[in-house]
Amino acid sequence: MSAAALGAVPPPMLVLVGVISVQVGAAFAKQLFSVAGASGVVTLRLVFAAVILLAVFRPALRMDWPTLRVVIGYGAVLAGMNMCIYQSFERIPLGAAVTIEFLGPLTVALFGSHRKLDVVWALLAGTGVFLLSRVEGGLDWIGVAFALAAGACWAGYILLGAKLGSRTTGTSGLALAMGFGALIAIPIGAVDSGPALLSPTVLLIGLLVALMSSVVPYTLELEALRRMPPRVFGILMSTEPAVAALAGLVVLGELLTGWQWLAICCVVIASVGSVATTRTTPEDSDPPAN
């Protein structure tokens, strides 16, 4: 889409389309697991996304060592987050995995807070995860562990993102970090999947997953953040667990019980409540500068 076309779309719609794109892309990726394995699919996603972002944004390769360390660290948590959540997708439903993973950014939002209301949000999120783990039949605990690890990487991704933004300009840091993440993933994917990664069908779907799960949402979210308050952006992003559950239902036929839907709602409400009730400074209330 052209810049003019993106500019004509309301920012909340950009965010929601980005969220849907990520989760539908994940659902398509899960369909490839039986052919190329979870590690192979996420490797294709990172490699294709890195190639596209590096080709489009053409970041400068020269940087000082402190900046390089941040870029490498950002790429490492990016690769770890994707590797872990795809391993979780392989074992538990999409909606359950994303709900548990969402504890990472929620923990960052609540960390260090001294407000009593934030205790309520933390307890509500904990109740949601408890319900997910206690439903009839339960969840595969290895899948749960991978989702928690992905959440921890997501927290690191957020914290390192602030440093990356202060040391690089535009999307150059993201493009370079994606490249480093792809380099980390390639040997893992090659060992896990082997020649299956070179199948034309697998490559084509891997490209589609990269576009839907990385390139499209990053582009839409960046444009949205230029034109809307960060608090509103955070509230809209809090819909990810519910959208993931719907994508799993529609694309993969993953049925969730009433208790599981209640658990997802608990985490979504906790995330929305945490973001919506956070005190902001006047600067935080304005959209980010172009």
Side-chain angles (χ1 to χ4, degrees):
M1 294 180 68
S2 66
L6 283 177
V9 180
M13 183 61 66
L14 292 175
V15 177
L16 291 176
V17 171
V19 168
I20 293 170
S21 181
V22 167
Q23 301 308 331
V24 173
F28 281 126
K30 189 167 181 174
Q31 293 180 315
L32 270 185
F33 288 177
S34 61
V35 178
S39 297
V41 175
V42 76
T43 297
L44 290 178
R45 170 186 168 179
L46 290 173
V47 168
F48 279 126
V51 169
I52 294 170
L53 290 174
L54 288 170
V56 171
F57 298 111
R58 299 179 183 179
L61 298 179
R62 296 185 63 180
M63 63 186 71
D64 56 43
W65 173 238
T67 301
L68 180 60
R69 282 188 303 180
V70 173
V71 170
I72 292 174
Y74 195 73
V77 295
L78 181 66
M81 179 174 66
N82 283 280
M83 282 286 182
C84 288
I85 197 59
Y86 273 47
Q87 291 292 333
S88 182
F89 289 163
E90 193 171 35
R91 294 167 173 83
I92 62 178
L94 205 68
V98 174
T99 300
I100 296 169
E101 182 194 25
F102 218 74
L103 292 180
L106 183 57
T107 299
V108 172
L110 296 175
F111 184 78
S113 173
H114 300 289
R115 298 182 307 157
K116 293 181 180 179
L117 186 58
D118 283 333
V119 176
V120 175
W121 305 133
L123 290 174
L124 186 59
T127 300
V129 175
F130 176 78
L131 288 174
L132 273 178
S133 64
R134 301 296 295 177
V135 295
E136 184 178 355
L139 294 174
D140 182 293
W141 282 102
I142 297 179
V144 171
F146 273 119
L148 288 171
C153 289
W154 195 349
Y157 175 85
I158 293 170
L159 296 174
L160 281 173
K163 293 184 178 181
L164 187 73
S166 66
R167 290 187 170 275
T168 60
T169 58
T171 54
S172 62
L174 172 62
L176 287 171
M178 188 72 75
F180 279 111
L183 291 176
I184 293 171
I186 285 172
I188 301 173
V191 170
D192 186 46
S193 305
L197 287 180
L198 301 179
S199 163
T201 302
V202 171
L203 288 172
L204 181 61
I205 299 178
L207 175 59
L208 176 65
V209 169
L211 289 170
M212 294 187 67
S213 297
S214 296
V215 178
V216 169
Y218 289 149
T219 302
L220 296 181
E221 289 167 11
L222 181 63
E223 177 64 23
L225 275 169
R226 290 192 177 108
R227 296 192 280 132
M228 69 190 309
R231 177 186 291 186
V232 178
F233 179 84
I235 291 173
L236 292 172
M237 289 294 291
S238 298
T239 62
E240 281 212 30
V243 174
L246 289 172
L249 174 64
V250 174
V251 179
L252 302 171
E254 292 179 340
L255 298 175
L256 300 179
T257 67
W259 286 110
Q260 287 174 318
W261 279 107
L262 178 60
I264 291 170
C265 287
C266 285
V267 175
V268 169
I269 292 171
S271 181
V272 170
S274 172
V275 175
T277 59
T278 299
R279 295 190 184 95
T280 58
T281 62
E283 291 80 3
D284 292 334
S285 300
D286 298 326
N290 289 335

